[in-house]
Amino acid sequence: MISKWMTKKSFLVVISFILTMALFVYASESSPSRQSATVSIQTTSNTIGNVPVYVDMDSQLYTVTGLPESVTLRIEGSSSSLLAVTGNASYRVKTPNLNELGTGKHMITLQVTGLPSGVKGTVSPETVEIIIEKKATVELPVSVNVNRSNLPGAYKNGQALVSPARVTISGPESLINQVENVSATVTVPENTKTDYITSVVVQAMDATGKPLALKVEPEQVQVRVPITTNSKKVPLVLTTTGSAGSQYTYQLKSDIKEVTILGAQEVLDRLTAIPVVVDVSQITKTTTQTVKLTLPTGVDSVTPENISVEVVVTPTTTQTTETTQTTRQ
């Protein structure tokens, strides 16, 4: 009875369905995707600016122009990977081996190295045009230009002294051949009255006075600008102005016979004396006054600035006669 039932088609269909479901459940429970949660990896990006460019080249033999000093680097990857990159700065943007290219004009592609697996780096700009030249080196003297516009008229600058007197200039042959002079410009500060010492940047200039992009060693030199004065000793000429009356005569005396004046040389050359004018309109007896000397136009200073002048007052003969006659009456 049972054997007949088991041979029926409907029985076989039911058994097959049950076995299929059992296999499906088993497969579902043993699948790795069921045993662990699905992890979704998100990609992010970051931009790093002012990344220096490393030059792969023998700098003793060649120079290169046209390379940017820095570039922008865009990195893409997982957040943890980007954090590691920016944290340890193991990346580098560099040129290919320029020694293999030789002199001339070349278009190169900048490379990114040091990024971990799974992180992509993109450089901007990625391709640049460069010029490779042989390196030249020369040693040249330094000339000093002194701007003395701030000096008082009485002061002048002497021959500037520079140390070191010669510097080394290096760079592309094409620029080295354009060097006309190597100069350092010094501006003397306002009202400088003693020797001025300073450090000045040295520049290599072409025939038009334009600075050339060359390396100067040392970059700065020490300059000493001697400051001297234009001075001259001149006599004093004592004169009076005004009068207390015709009954008095005046004589001026001073122990100071000459003074030292400072000023522009052309002014000093024209001066032969310094006038000293004493007002005697209120003086009726011998007295001593302190007189402040007046600076002539173009004179910066005078030493001494003040002098003592004795005003000797003498009554006239007429006054003496009148006094005598009055007394007799």
Side-chain angles (χ1 to χ4, degrees):
M1 179 75 179
I2 294 176
S3 59
K4 285 184 178 182
W5 183 76
M6 293 180 61
T7 57
K8 287 185 177 180
K9 185 176 182 180
S10 58
F11 174 81
L12 295 176
V13 171
V14 171
I15 292 300
S16 297
F17 176 78
I18 293 173
L19 291 175
T20 300
M21 291 299 296
L23 290 173
F24 176 80
V25 171
Y26 174 81
S28 299
E29 290 178 350
S30 61
S31 173
S33 61
R34 295 295 182 178
Q35 293 177 348
S36 61
T38 301
V39 178
S40 177
I41 301 178
Q42 295 183 347
T43 299
T44 186
S45 64
N46 190 15
T47 300
I48 307 172
N50 298 320
V51 179
V53 177
Y54 290 84
V55 183
D56 187 358
M57 180 187 70
D58 187 344
S59 60
Q60 299 299 316
L61 298 177
Y62 300 103
T63 65
V64 59
T65 56
L67 275 176
E69 293 183 0
S70 62
V71 294
T72 300
L73 176 62
R74 179 183 174 83
I75 52 177
E76 297 179 78
S78 65
S79 299
S80 58
S81 297
L82 299 193
L83 186 61
V85 170
T86 55
N88 58 30
S90 60
Y91 57 89
R92 175 177 290 187
V93 175
K94 57 179 292 187
T95 68
N97 189 338
L98 302 185
N99 298 322
E100 298 176 353
L101 299 179
T103 59
K105 185 180 295 186
H106 306 278
M107 185 69 73
I108 65 170
T109 300
L110 299 178
Q111 306 166 349
V112 186
T113 62
L115 294 177
S117 177
V119 176
K120 177 185 176 183
T122 304
V123 180
S124 179
E126 187 175 19
T127 59
V128 291
E129 186 176 74
I130 61 171
I131 298 176
I132 301 175
E133 296 184 67
K134 288 185 178 180
K135 184 177 182 179
T137 302
V138 294
E139 186 179 89
L140 296 172
V142 179
S143 62
V144 180
N145 302 318
V146 179
N147 179 359
R148 53 149 294 158
S149 60
N150 290 327
L151 284 178
Y155 294 82
K156 61 183 178 181
N157 62 277
Q159 181 65 42
L161 306 175
V162 59
S163 178
R166 301 174 70 88
V167 293
T168 300
I169 312 294
S170 60
E173 277 185 331
S174 61
L175 291 184
I176 290 291
N177 294 334
Q178 296 179 42
V179 176
E180 184 70 18
N181 65 77
V182 180
S183 65
T185 299
V186 178
T187 298
V188 179
E190 189 173 358
N191 294 323
T192 299
K193 297 179 180 180
T194 58
D195 289 2
Y196 179 60
I197 302 175
T198 186
S199 293
V200 189
V201 174
V202 180
Q203 290 184 314
M205 320 285 281
D206 65 12
T208 66
K210 179 182 177 181
L212 297 168
L214 293 167
K215 184 176 182 180
V216 182
E217 294 181 311
E219 295 180 352
Q220 294 187 347
V221 294
Q222 187 179 74
V223 177
R224 181 188 185 95
V225 182
I227 305 296
T228 58
T229 57
N230 299 312
S231 64
K232 182 180 181 179
K233 287 190 175 184
V234 292
L236 296 175
V237 177
L238 305 178
T239 60
T240 63
T241 183
S243 175
S246 60
Q247 66 270 36
Y248 300 104
T249 60
Y250 302 92
Q251 183 183 9
L252 304 180
K253 297 180 180 180
S254 177
D255 293 335
I256 305 299
K257 306 301 181 184
E258 64 179 13
V259 293
T260 300
I261 57 175
L262 304 180
Q265 190 61 52
E266 59 271 18
V267 174
L268 301 186
D269 292 341
R270 295 195 302 266
L271 289 174
T272 58
I274 297 292
V276 179
V277 181
V278 180
D279 185 357
V280 297
S281 60
Q282 302 297 323
I283 300 177
T284 58
K285 62 180 180 179
T286 299
T287 185
T288 299
Q289 289 191 347
T290 298
V291 180
K292 181 176 178 61
L293 301 184
T294 301
L295 296 180
T297 302
V299 173
D300 292 327
S301 66
V302 58
T303 304
E305 296 180 348
N306 303 287
I307 63 169
S308 293
V309 177
E310 182 184 15
V311 182
V312 180
V313 180
T314 304
T316 63
T317 303
T318 301
Q319 181 188 22
T320 303
T321 301
E322 290 178 350
T323 302
T324 302
Q325 290 176 348
T326 302
T327 302
R328 289 176 180 178
Q329 292 177 359

